Amino acid sequence: MKWSEEMANYQALYTNLRQLKLDRFAEHLGYLLDHQDEAPKSLSDALFELTTAELKYREQKKINLRIKLARFPYEKTLADFDFSYQPGISQAIIEDLGSLRFTQENQNILFIGTSGVGKTHLATAIGIEGCKQGVSTQFIRCSDLINKLQTAQVQGRSEEVLRRYARFQILIIDEIGYLPIESVGAKLFFQLIEKRYERKSTIITTNIPLSKWGTTFSDKMLANAILDRLVHHAKVIRITGRSYRMKDHLIEKKDNSGPDLSGFSSQNKERSSETL
């Protein structure tokens, strides 16, 4: 076959592959042909290599789409987490959660700790693992969730929205406790947790002890009912370490002698101490 005919056939094949949406197959085809003299492959081996590349490409696209639709605040993995900075956290336990074994028994996870200790990072990292493994996952701030549920109720769509959030295999509800939840929102939140109870897995991050949830939900009995369902089948991870957000600040402070108070009067220094 003449070189011109070979090129024409190659171009026609490349076009066919693009029309069939075998994009990665098409991209790897040229490379494989260029190296055929150096590392010759049989037809079956070549097709296996090309189709494998295509399947991996398609799977990665699905993963990227699942991560996008999950609406994480950022993309961080367990590998990004600095366990040495939070030695109170068992790395083995967190890695086990990252295996998603907890979803097989519809268990929940509760991350409890002050602001900045890594609760959202860990919850997000586990959620991203879910996306990688094909598990339907959704991330939402607690305040946003309550607003969506209340708006839906006003519009007569509360049941529809409750069903939507109830269907995710992993639902991450972030930052419970930062803002108080009024009675209507608390009741809707309870309905959602009830729908998910022993059916799906819920991951919670909160900055307040569970004993104080009655104040957040404006109803101690309702808060207890919510906690009863969340904690019944749950891994409770309490984080008592330092804030990651203060990490660089603390390093900088350590390197410096501290703020210059020489220009302050003694009275101003006393006021400053009282404020701290």
Side-chain angles (χ1 to χ4, degrees):
M1 184 181 293
K2 295 180 179 180
W3 179 82
S4 59
E5 292 178 350
E6 289 183 359
M7 285 302 299
N9 288 340
Y10 171 79
Q11 289 297 336
L13 174 58
Y14 186 86
T15 301
N16 288 345
L17 292 172
R18 287 296 190 182
Q19 289 180 349
L20 290 168
K21 300 188 184 303
L22 297 171
D23 298 330
R24 188 50 55 94
F25 191 123
E27 289 175 8
H28 278 63
L29 178 61
Y31 177 85
L32 187 145
L33 292 175
D34 289 340
H35 293 78
Q36 186 66 6
D37 291 337
E38 304 170 13
K41 297 181 184 294
S42 67
L43 179 59
S44 59
D45 287 344
L47 289 174
F48 175 76
E49 182 176 316
L50 292 168
T51 53
T52 298
E54 180 66 33
L55 288 172
K56 287 182 178 179
Y57 171 69
R58 292 190 177 193
E59 180 57 30
Q60 188 58 52
K61 283 183 66 176
K62 290 179 182 178
I63 291 171
N64 293 341
L65 179 60
R66 285 194 290 264
I67 290 174
K68 180 180 179 180
L69 294 177
R71 301 184 181 279
F72 297 111
Y74 41 65
E75 288 189 34
K76 289 187 177 180
T77 66
L78 293 179
D80 299 323
F81 192 82
D82 186 358
F83 286 96
S84 65
Y85 192 75
Q86 299 293 22
I89 300 177
S90 169
Q91 184 171 351
I93 290 176
I94 299 300
E95 288 177 348
D96 180 63
L97 295 176
S99 74
L100 305 187
R101 277 199 317 121
F102 71 95
T103 63
Q104 297 171 8
E105 299 177 4
N106 299 321
Q107 291 182 322
N108 302 320
I109 304 174
L110 279 72
F111 288 110
I112 306 170
T114 55
S115 177
V117 294
K119 305 183 301 295
T120 300
H121 181 152
L122 291 173
T124 296
I126 293 170
I128 286 177
E129 286 300 318
C131 291
K132 289 179 179 178
Q133 296 187 35
V135 176
S136 62
T137 304
Q138 184 75 182
F139 179 103
I140 189 167
R141 305 283 187 195
C142 181
S143 57
D144 293 336
L145 174 62
I146 298 300
N147 288 337
K148 287 179 182 295
L149 292 175
Q150 289 179 326
T151 300
Q153 185 177 58
V154 171
Q155 297 172 345
R157 299 172 47 250
S158 60
E159 189 59 32
E160 173 191 338
V161 176
L162 283 168
R163 283 199 304 269
R164 174 174 176 261
Y165 285 105
R167 70 179 173 82
F168 292 106
Q169 183 59 48
I170 299 177
L171 177 64
I172 302 171
I173 304 175
D174 191 42
E175 295 186 344
I176 291 180
Y178 284 88
L179 295 172
I181 301 172
E182 296 180 356
S183 178
V184 173
K187 290 176 182 176
L188 289 166
F189 188 89
F190 169 77
Q191 291 179 50
L192 174 59
I193 298 303
E194 172 66 18
K195 286 181 179 294
R196 296 183 58 80
Y197 177 56
E198 295 189 323
R199 298 181 182 89
K200 306 291 183 182
S201 293
T202 304
I203 300 178
I204 298 290
T205 75
T206 180
N207 68 323
I208 57 173
L210 302 184
S211 60
K212 300 292 181 65
W213 275 33
T215 302
T216 296
F217 284 92
S218 308
D219 185 324
K220 188 173 182 180
M221 289 185 63
L222 190 58
N224 286 340
I226 292 169
L227 280 173
D228 182 62
R229 287 157 178 77
L230 284 174
V231 178
H232 184 206
H233 300 295
K235 303 286 187 181
V236 179
I237 311 294
R238 291 180 173 85
I239 308 175
T240 58
R242 299 166 292 173
S243 170
Y244 278 99
R245 298 189 186 100
M246 296 296 291
K247 187 176 181 181
D248 293 337
H249 170 73
L250 292 172
I251 293 173
E252 181 180 349
K253 185 176 180 181
K254 186 176 180 180
D255 292 340
N256 293 287
S257 59
D260 181 11
L261 299 177
S262 59
F264 277 42
S265 66
S266 60
Q267 184 178 8
N268 284 337
K269 290 181 182 180
E270 289 175 3
R271 288 178 181 172
S272 178
S273 298
E274 290 172 1
T275 302
L276 294 174

